[in-house]
Amino acid sequence: REQPPKNFRQPGGSGGRVQRISWDGEVLWDFLYAGDRFFSHHDIHPMPNGNILVLAWDRKTRAEAQVMGRVNVSGDMWSEEIVEYDPVGDSVVWRWRAWDHLIQDVDSSKPNYGVVREHPELFDINLGTLFMYGDWIHANIVDYNEQRDEIVFSSHFLNELYVIDHSTTTNEAAGHTGGRHGKGGDIIYRWGNPQNYRRGDSTDQRFFIVHGANWIRPGLVGEGNIMVFNNGDRPGSANDYSSVWEITPPLDSNDHYYIHPDSAYGPEEPSWAYENRGVFYSGHMSGAYRL
């Protein structure tokens, strides 16, 4: 662990440090996760085992991004990672990186070349624009489902939520096999913007900036579903309104997420929704939880 460089320019939501502090003000433990190549941001999630999930940026240079097939890049590209920190052992015990799960279809001579539509489990490295010093995905929440041993997070810039398998080892999370779903660290479910994996167009986009993706807790109505705050910052200057949506992911007979070979992940519509057009609107922040 190291201090970030003095010239590090931090995008919105930067953190860099996680502490547990008693009611009396005593620092019980202190986790610095900030350096030249990584920087924690936005959110953490305390796990039932006492460990902490931490969102972090994963810095790649322009050359590293170009090697992986990124076309529109003029400087650094900040991808995402999720680390699990054990405060008792003061160590990172599990790690997942989006950079290990990329595809591109612009240069057959570079790694991860393929047909994007055939690989919804991967991130198209050429999605979106790089905002504020190279921020690419801009995840804004991380949440954990103990019953399924899965993690959900949402992307401000790509207008999607993603589910990944936490039952993997760190080595498996860097690959495409292993874990309960047998897919390693690949995306096992995604929803909100199917044009990101070429199984829809702009008319199929449901999220227009999304925050607060979280699992509905056991014992509550809709337990196991995913609740999200759809900011609704739509293109143009009109028709902006926010919604709270409950998403019921489709599961097959093996309790895996189902996707038809020729279409996007379901459902087509949220199973529950709240909105009040003209009144209820938060363009870039907020969240929602089932109580």
Side-chain angles (χ1 to χ4, degrees), residues 210-259:
V210 57
H211 281 82
N214 59 89
W215 305 97
I216 297 178
R217 299 299 187 246
L220 301 179
V221 175
E223 65 176 278
N225 292 343
I226 300 171
M227 183 158 281
V228 293
F229 191 96
N230 183 13
N231 294 86
D233 187 14
R234 293 163 178 80
S237 58
N239 200 34
D240 288 339
Y241 60 91
S242 297
S243 306
V244 177
W245 284 355
E246 178 184 336
I247 308 302
T248 304
L251 299 172
D252 62 21
S253 59
N254 295 315
D255 204 33
H256 299 319
Y257 296 95
Y258 174 76
I259 182 172

Side-chain angles (χ1 to χ4, degrees), residues 115-136:
V115 179
V116 173
R117 179 183 174 84
E118 295 177 358
H119 294 279
E121 75 279 9
L122 302 175
F123 293 90
D124 180 356
I125 193 175
N126 286 303
L127 284 176
T129 57
L130 304 183
F131 179 77
M132 197 180 291
Y133 321 128
D135 193 3
W136 175 37

